Amino acid sequence: MDHHYTVDVDWLGNRGEGTSGYRSYGRDVVVRVGGKPELAGSADVPFRGSADRWNPEELLLAALAQCHLLSYLHSAVKHGIVVVDYADSATGTMEQVGDGGRFTSVTLHPRITITDPTKTQLAQQIHAEASRNCFIAASVGFPVLHEPVVTVAAG
């Protein structure tokens, strides 16, 4: 089954001179999807972007972290693991080559809290399953690593 997605991205950076020079235009964009709040985007600061707007690199990390979270929660249900908290601090490395570049790796650092101490090891192991089931991780050409920490809720 195919799923289709549409996103509108509009450039806001014409300062009256268009792209007449590298420093003559802004990198700010607005990302829109019907029925959702607009997302303020830009280039990363080293590429003359705005620090207070999301850049594509951050959005990629966010997509990978969120996709893994959702896949993990699905796997947890399948394996009878009750998750009561999940947070992640994803990191990524991008190498710049000339005017372009690419991500070389992303590492997710999920912190999961479960209710059953007998399922701690299984809760660690299902990260591999969640990774295989994550549509975004399956679509990128670099490794998406995991350094999970699983704790048991005080009860």
Side-chain angles (χ1 to χ4, degrees):
M1 169 187 285
D2 290 342
H3 299 270
H4 303 276
Y5 301 90
T6 301
V7 174
D8 294 317
V9 179
D10 295 314
W11 175 51
L12 307 175
N14 185 354
R15 297 178 180 150
E17 302 174 36
T19 58
S20 60
Y22 186 71
R23 297 177 189 275
S24 67
Y25 64 95
R27 275 60 173 179
D28 291 355
V29 301
V30 63
V31 181
R32 293 183 183 94
V33 174
K36 298 179 183 177
E38 292 182 350
L39 184 64
S42 187
D44 195 8
V45 171
F47 306 109
R48 306 196 53 82
S50 300
D52 61 343
R53 291 173 166 259
W54 287 88
N55 64 58
E57 297 81 11
E58 293 165 333
L59 292 170
L60 178 61
L61 284 177
L64 285 163
Q66 182 179 354
C67 184
H68 186 81
L69 178 155
L70 295 169
S71 295
Y72 184 86
L73 296 178
H74 175 75
S75 292
V77 169
K78 280 181 32 181
H79 292 280
I81 300 168
V82 178
V83 175
V84 293
D85 193 38
Y86 185 116
D88 193 354
S89 299
T91 59
T93 302
M94 185 181 78
E95 68 178 358
Q96 186 176 350
V97 179
D99 287 340
R102 66 183 191 92
F103 270 84
T104 56
S105 70
V106 164
T107 303
L108 305 179
H109 301 93
R111 298 173 307 282
I112 298 103
T113 304
I114 63 173
T115 59
D116 184 348
T118 67
K119 299 204 175 185
T120 302
Q121 184 175 1
L122 180 58
Q124 288 273 12
Q125 293 170 342
I126 65 170
H127 280 283
E129 177 182 310
S131 183
R132 286 190 305 274
N133 293 333
C134 172
F135 303 128
I136 307 301
S139 300
V140 298
F142 53 83
V144 180
L145 309 171
H146 312 92
E147 296 179 359
V149 174
V150 176
T151 59
V152 178

